[in-house]
Amino acid sequence: MSKRHDEGQTVMAKWPGSHLWFHAKVLKNLDGDKYVVRFEEGTEEEIAGHHVLSENYFGRSGSKSPSRRRSRSRSRGRSPGRTTRRRSKSPAIKTPKVAKANLTPTRGSRASPRKAASTPAAKTTPEPKKASPEPKAKSSPEPKATSTPAKITKMEVKKVVEQKSEVVHRYATRSSTNKELVPGLDLKPGAVPKTTEYEFGGPIGAFLLTFLLPATVLYLYGVCNKAHCDLVFVPHLPKTLDAYFSTNAALVFLGWFAFQALIYMLPIGRLADGVPLRDGRMLKYRINAFFAFVVSLAAFGAAYHYKAPFVWVYDNYLQLASTATAFSLIMSVVLYIKARRAPKSALSTVGNSGNAVYDFFIGHELNPRIGSFDLKYFCELRPGLIGWMMINLCLCAKHCSEHGQLSTAMTCVTLFQALYVADALWFEDAILTTNDITIEGFGFMLAFGDLAWVPFTYTLQGRYLVDHPEHDLTNVQAALIVLLNLLGFWIFRASNSQKNAFRRNPYDPKLQRLESIPTNVTNKSLLVSGWWGLVRHPNYLGDLIMALAWCLTCGFNHIVPYFYVIYFTILLIHRERRDHLVCQKKYGAAWDKYCERVKYRIFPYIY
Ligand code: NDP
């Protein structure tokens, strides 16, 4: 039973989402069983009454002594779900040992953004701090040994710092834009609530996009091919069905898909944890996409050596694109039917509107799996992304066979895109915390995007260069474009890595020089210097610079090869706006302060 505590009283309060108890001051008694407290290091939290105990509670003799009971909770591999469950069962079995340690690595609240906004904490406008402060336990005077369990040794401080860092590491997100499931605090067991806010124009938009997106792939093929490359309203496309579908194209597509699935299932590569699900479980994901890439390249090399007819891919490009589209459509229907039978807790929060067209498009089930085979995760990086690379190589083979050797432009664009794909595969585990994995269901939007859109629109430059060999780059042009691509890659990689490192461990000594703004979400500060002080999305800036470099390899004779950079600019501006709204909701005043400090969204001094 929780005891009533008065405002201003010093108490022991349990740090949300952890098993740690700290000294805190009661700021407000909300309804008798909830308090707003301020921890010693300044964080304000809303805490359930049974997690607020009198100051001398742990000083009492008897079975509450935490030192006798703490060992299990130190285990590194503990799941946050279990933390939550255990916490609710026995709040008394806790470790107050760090109560005086004044550890301040985590800031803000573990409450959900919406909840936090209603607490006094949300109203505080945080001042920027130096990122990754040294744990105060190091600099503060060593707590005096007392006979109470609140006494602390250096070793214990170190353990707790490590443990907190581990928590940060386990729950930190690299690039997701809506982390309702993050730090084990917002687990909401039970059925997923109905989706009430539509995106992409709701069911009508979803319906139209289901046709418009595949039509765009065909359109690009129809307006830019060997015969011509012009933006015309009616594309030149064949009128017979066999120009779109053939048994061979189906076999090649399915064979490629199966080949990648086989590599994915090999017990090679470590297993990584996903973010905690609603029920507290964390799915395991095999990290071997880069291995799959290397194996695919080796297989390509061997087949090329034995003169495999790779030009076939160019000659049957339209059939392969149609097959990939048809496959993703069929797969999405099957996924939707499967999702209808899935437990209600396994659905996606954004694809559960009850409208079949909308849910089919966005994706109804969050993590559809066949056994341990995760369909969404598999499709996200492997058949499509590696497929993009393989198609590029086949286009190179075609280019060589037609023109005797690779042009400079073709070499550049292939290498640029190879670098981009290799980077995505190398950092495969970054995807586990993105919206695509943690929020979006697996429906037509992702399935088509992964399997058809990426491989058959991102290869447009390569295809253009095969079809239009009259264009090539001079050495100077090539050098400038290479520099531009490297600049983009540097900004993209350095900014992503900086944020990832910060999210993984804000105490990373390498980040100490960076300034950050504390927020009301635990473990989440906002970088306000370094790359993230330049613009709000430096990674998008880098990505767009690379996109421009790829398109520039095609020269200025035609606009169609610039489709990628135009479409991508629109996509990232839209994405940035969505992310801005999510962060505004989540971080409140801290986000406003960040935006005040960092004025430009993507392009410095422009936008
Ligand atoms: P980001 O990686 O930019 O992630 C945005 C999130 O980062 C925010 O929600 C917030 O999440 C966190 N964040 C924002 N500002 C700060 C800050 N100042 N300090 C610390 N954290 C901050 O976005 P995406 O997931 O959209 O993109 C990931 C990468 O993928 C990008 O490089 C992008 O260019 C690329 N991309 C490529 C596409 C393609 O088709 N080639 C398509 C889309 C994206 P939190 O605070 O919760 O951590």
Side-chain angles (χ1 to χ4, degrees):
M1 288 293 288
S2 63
K3 174 187 169 303
R4 224 190 122 77
H5 305 283
D6 298 324
E7 288 171 16
Q9 189 182 335
T10 302
V11 291
M12 296 297 292
K14 187 158 161 286
W15 187 271
S18 80
H19 62 286
L20 304 173
W21 292 77
F22 295 90
H23 280 282
K25 188 160 269 180
V26 175
L27 296 181
K28 207 168 179 187
N29 181 342
L30 287 182
D31 54 13
D33 202 36
K34 248 187 194 171
Y35 296 90
V36 177
V37 302
R38 182 188 293 131
F39 286 93
E40 281 182 326
E41 43 69 82
T43 304
E44 294 175 13
E45 297 274 358
E46 196 178 294
I47 308 276
H50 61 281
H51 288 163
V52 179
L53 303 172
S54 65
E55 192 185 12
N56 62 355
Y57 182 81
F58 294 107
R60 291 191 319 221
S61 58
S63 63
K64 300 275 188 221
S65 172
S67 55
R68 295 178 202 160
R69 299 172 180 246
R70 57 188 273 262
S71 56
R72 271 182 30 184
S73 61
R74 296 279 189 218
S75 129
R76 284 182 69 82
R78 195 187 61 213
S79 91
R82 273 187 271 145
T83 307
T84 311
R85 283 196 295 275
R86 205 181 304 154
R87 186 173 74 220
S88 62
K89 265 190 225 153
S90 56
I93 307 176
K94 302 305 169 204
T95 306
K97 291 224 164 208
V98 290
K100 301 234 177 195
N102 197 15
L103 299 170
T104 61
T106 53
R107 307 181 192 102
S109 162
R110 277 186 178 266
S112 73
R114 256 178 241 127
K115 248 202 231 159
S118 63
T119 68
K123 291 181 190 106
T124 57
T125 307
E127 283 304 313
K129 291 187 187 177
K130 278 277 175 200
S132 45
E134 279 292 293
K136 286 185 188 168
K138 276 193 182 167
S139 55
S140 60
E142 197 181 326
K144 289 214 167 66
T146 70
S147 58
T148 71
K151 119 183 162 188
I152 180 163
T153 65
K154 267 189 181 164
M155 188 52 92
E156 283 160 346
V157 170
K158 188 166 170 275
K159 271 188 189 168
V160 173
V161 171
E162 280 169 3
Q163 185 190 41
K164 285 205 163 196
S165 292
E166 186 188 338
V167 170
V168 172
H169 176 79
R170 289 175 71 80
Y171 303 125
T173 56
R174 288 168 59 117
S175 52
S176 53
T177 50
N178 184 350
K179 320 300 181 333
E180 290 210 317
L181 293 177
V182 182
L185 43 124
D186 265 341
L187 299 179
K188 296 166 185 156
V192 168
K194 281 269 177 246
T195 306
T196 50
E197 280 175 30
Y198 284 132
E199 291 189 272
F200 301 102
I204 295 176
F207 179 76
L208 292 177
L209 283 172
T210 303
F211 294 97
L212 266 177
L213 292 174
T216 307
V217 175
L218 295 184
Y219 176 82
L220 286 173
Y221 183 84
V223 296
C224 194
N225 50 46
K226 208 173 187 69
H228 48 82
C229 190
D230 291 308
L231 272 184
V232 287
F233 191 68
V234 182
H236 307 272
L237 284 166
K239 302 209 165 35
T240 54
L241 192 64
D242 58 3
Y244 296 89
F245 295 103
S246 72
T247 313
N248 284 347
L251 287 176
V252 167
F253 180 84
L254 292 175
W256 171 249
F257 195 86
F259 176 59
Q260 289 303 319
L262 188 74
I263 300 176
Y264 172 58
M265 286 190 295
L266 291 178
I268 294 173
R270 69 191 165 87
L271 286 172
D273 288 327
V275 301
L277 300 174
R278 296 179 77 81
D279 57 7
R281 282 180 310 129
M282 282 197 292
L283 297 176
K284 297 275 180 204
Y285 294 89
R286 175 75 63 196
I287 304 291
N288 66 6
F290 194 79
F291 171 74
F293 184 47
V294 172
V295 171
S296 306
L297 285 179
F300 182 92
Y304 190 75
H305 179 75
Y306 289 105
K307 309 217 173 332
F310 286 118
V311 294
W312 181 91
V313 170
Y314 169 89
D315 298 336
N316 294 272
Y317 193 88
L318 184 58
Q319 293 177 332
L320 286 170
S322 311
T323 307
T325 303
F327 183 85
S328 53
L329 188 67
I330 295 166
M331 184 162 84
S332 311
V333 172
V334 173
L335 285 169
Y336 181 72
I337 295 168
K338 175 180 174 325
R340 292 295 298 260
R341 295 163 189 202
K344 294 274 178 265
S345 61
L347 303 180
S348 153
T349 50
V350 294
N352 186 30
S353 68
N355 182 295
V357 173
Y358 186 79
D359 294 347
F360 158 82
F361 180 78
I362 298 286
H364 199 28
E365 189 177 352
L366 183 61
N367 302 298
R369 286 189 161 206
I370 302 169
S372 63
F373 192 98
D374 192 296
L375 289 158
K376 181 170 68 171
Y377 174 69
F378 168 71
C379 288
E380 276 282 292
L381 290 181
R382 292 143 192 269
L385 215 61
I386 302 176
W388 167 19
M389 221 48 266
M390 291 299 126
I391 294 175
N392 267 354
L393 291 178
C394 293
L395 293 175
C396 286
K398 176 73 179 177
H399 195 283
C400 279
S401 80
E402 290 234 320
H403 316 302
Q405 60 178 26
L406 275 187
S407 67
T408 309
M410 190 72 185
T411 310
C412 283
V413 80
T414 308
L415 289 179
F416 293 168
Q417 297 184 349
L419 176 68
Y420 190 76
V421 170
D423 177 88
L425 301 173
W426 182 260
F427 292 100
E428 180 185 12
D429 56 353
I431 203 177
L432 294 178
T433 53
T434 60
N435 271 359
D436 286 5
I437 297 293
T438 62
I439 308 284
E440 314 276 6
F442 193 33
F444 182 73
M445 183 174 72
L446 279 186
F448 172 78
D450 294 340
L451 302 178
W453 183 267
V454 167
F456 294 100
T457 62
Y458 288 20
T459 46
L460 176 60
Q461 290 97 21
R463 197 164 56 75
Y464 171 84
L465 290 171
V466 172
D467 288 339
H468 299 272
E470 70 280 2
H471 164 75
D472 199 5
L473 299 171
T474 65
N475 288 348
V476 174
Q477 286 169 336
L480 290 175
I481 293 174
V482 167
L483 284 179
L484 187 69
N485 191 67
L486 289 179
L487 172 74
F489 183 74
W490 176 51
I491 297 173
F492 168 84
R493 179 48 33 227
S495 56
N496 274 323
S497 295
Q498 192 171 71
K499 175 162 68 77
N500 298 343
F502 183 67
R503 282 281 173 259
R504 235 183 280 136
N505 182 6
Y507 323 114
D508 188 337
K510 286 186 212 127
L511 302 172
Q512 276 201 2
R513 67 191 166 79
L514 297 180
E515 246 186 302
S516 66
I517 297 177
T519 76
N520 297 307
V521 179
T522 303
N523 295 335
K524 296 278 185 92
S525 298
L526 295 166
L527 284 169
V528 76
S529 66
W531 287 109
W532 297 81
L534 177 71
V535 284
R536 291 183 217 156
H537 274 279
N539 48 356
Y540 290 2
L541 174 68
D543 222 336
L544 287 170
I545 292 174
M546 282 190 282
L548 178 64
W550 303 354
C551 295
L552 282 172
T553 59
C554 299
F556 298 109
N557 290 343
H558 299 285
I559 181 77
V560 184
Y562 284 80
F563 167 80
Y564 178 67
V565 68
I566 296 168
Y567 135 83
F568 203 44
T569 305
I570 296 168
L571 178 106
L572 290 184
I573 286 177
H574 176 247
R575 205 170 164 102
E576 190 282 332
R577 292 198 166 255
R578 280 174 86 197
D579 189 51
H580 175 75
L581 294 179
V582 171
C583 288
Q584 206 166 39
K585 242 187 206 175
K586 180 160 62 174
Y587 296 125
W591 184 255
D592 293 342
K593 185 153 190 92
Y594 174 62
C595 295
E596 231 171 68
R597 283 277 304 265
V598 183
K599 295 257 182 292
Y600 296 97
R601 293 167 185 262
I602 300 178
F603 305 103
Y605 305 106
I606 300 175
Y607 174 76

